[in-house]
Amino acid sequence: MNESKSPGNLRLGVNIDHVATVRNARGSSYPDPLRAALVAESAGADGITAHLREDRRHISDGDIEKLMSELSLQLNLEMAATAEMQEIALRFKPHAVCVVPERREERTTESGLDAISHEEHLKEITRPISEQGSRVSLFIDADPLQVDAAVRIGAAVVEFHTGAYCDYYFEKRRSECERELNRIREAAAYANALGLEVHAGHGLTFETVAPIAKIPQVAELNIGHFLIGEAIFLGLESAILNMKKLMVEARKK
């Protein structure tokens, strides 16, 4: 086992996908995801996440080009493990590339990537991306076996899927919620001990973020859908400021 790493301050990556979802609903040029990214930066976001789906249902290739050329924050490009997406990542050279599972019929990412079953394919997709200088992350469930596969693949980062924990919370299924939270805690400690940087995300809200933010090995949270939705009521800057405040307070405790 490698020596564990201290993650330091907890970072917030703001996912701007659903700004593009609203834009695409009318086929217009607004609202602009780049403008949302710039607002996020002014509100204290530490990075921007954008998922370029194969069907381009929200973020487009043009969005990625604009973000790469005009954004001062680091871009985390989420993508499926396909040759097309590999070529795009190699062309744009984002700071980080997070490989996620993707199915055309799903509304959103439903679970973590099965790194065990697709280990060799993931190596082929991610090795050139890593060699060009982008940090490779795998979006996986909080499972030590998946973490082991991520190490073998050569990922620098694992991001744990927090969707089930959030669902159990809002369904008031307390025992399942606590069990899932414990799984994330244990997997974070395990991944950190192996030398991986640990991120988490999916479905996090003002109500659910604190227990995840308290996990000392977690270095970054990626949050999007909730913040964009909350922006309707609070404004995007206020939503991000509130989320950062909750994260900082939880980490201090």
Side-chain angles (χ1 to χ4, degrees):
M1 250 187 209
N2 297 329
E3 185 180 352
S4 62
K5 301 175 181 178
S6 173
N9 292 332
L10 180 60
R11 303 189 301 270
L12 172 62
V14 174
N15 187 310
I16 57 170
D17 290 353
H18 296 297
V19 175
T21 301
V22 175
R23 175 194 64 191
N24 296 352
R26 289 289 295 269
S28 64
S29 60
Y30 61 86
D32 184 2
L34 174 62
R35 183 180 177 188
L38 296 173
V39 171
E41 180 177 11
S42 70
D46 301 289
I48 298 298
T49 293
H51 182 178
L52 184 65
R53 279 182 170 267
E54 292 181 273
D55 61 8
R56 309 308 198 266
R57 68 175 67 168
H58 37 60
I59 293 295
S60 69
D61 301 61
D63 292 327
I64 298 299
E65 185 171 3
K66 286 173 66 177
L67 290 166
M68 286 298 302
S69 64
E70 300 185 43
L71 192 66
S72 58
L73 287 180
Q74 295 172 335
L75 178 67
N76 173 35
L77 172 64
E78 290 185 342
M79 57 170 246
T82 68
E84 179 198 19
M85 292 299 154
Q86 181 195 56
E87 189 278 328
I88 290 170
L90 292 173
R91 173 155 47 96
F92 285 112
K93 299 179 175 63
H95 167 74
V97 169
C98 183
V99 182
V100 301
E102 191 174 306
R103 294 188 304 116
R104 292 287 177 95
E105 63 272 22
E106 68 185 359
R107 290 186 179 182
T108 185
T109 306
E110 297 170 346
S111 64
L113 189 72
D114 185 355
I116 299 169
S117 299
H118 302 98
E119 185 173 326
E120 293 306 314
H121 176 65
L122 288 169
K123 285 179 181 177
E124 292 175 6
I125 292 293
T126 61
R127 186 177 293 116
I129 296 172
S130 181
E131 288 174 350
Q132 76 163 4
S134 297
R135 298 190 74 201
V136 169
S137 172
L138 299 183
F139 185 74
I140 59 175
D141 291 327
D143 179 346
L145 296 179
Q146 295 290 344
V147 173
D148 289 339
V151 172
R152 293 192 298 270
I153 291 164
V157 181
V158 288
E159 181 170 340
F160 291 127
H161 186 286
T162 55
Y165 152 69
C166 294
D167 289 343
Y168 290 144
Y169 177 90
F170 286 108
E171 292 165 6
K172 302 188 186 305
R173 296 163 64 179
R174 290 185 175 84
S175 60
E176 291 100 328
C177 180
E178 190 58 33
R179 184 175 66 244
E180 188 65 22
L181 187 56
N182 283 332
R183 285 183 65 214
I184 297 169
R185 290 182 183 122
E186 291 169 3
Y190 181 68
N192 179 257
L194 292 177
L196 293 168
E197 184 168 296
V198 179
H199 298 178
H202 199 84
L204 293 171
T205 68
F206 292 154
E207 294 87 352
T208 58
V209 72
I212 300 296
K214 287 179 182 177
I215 300 173
Q217 296 86 6
V218 173
E220 180 174 301
L221 300 181
N222 285 298
I223 306 175
H225 182 263
F226 173 77
L227 290 173
I228 302 307
E230 201 66 14
I232 296 171
F233 307 103
L234 301 179
L236 184 56
E237 184 175 19
S238 293
I240 293 170
L241 287 169
N242 286 349
M243 184 62 77
K244 284 279 286 189
K245 180 173 180 287
L246 290 169
M247 290 167 54
V248 170
E249 289 175 349
R251 180 52 64 92
K252 284 181 178 176
K253 294 178 183 178

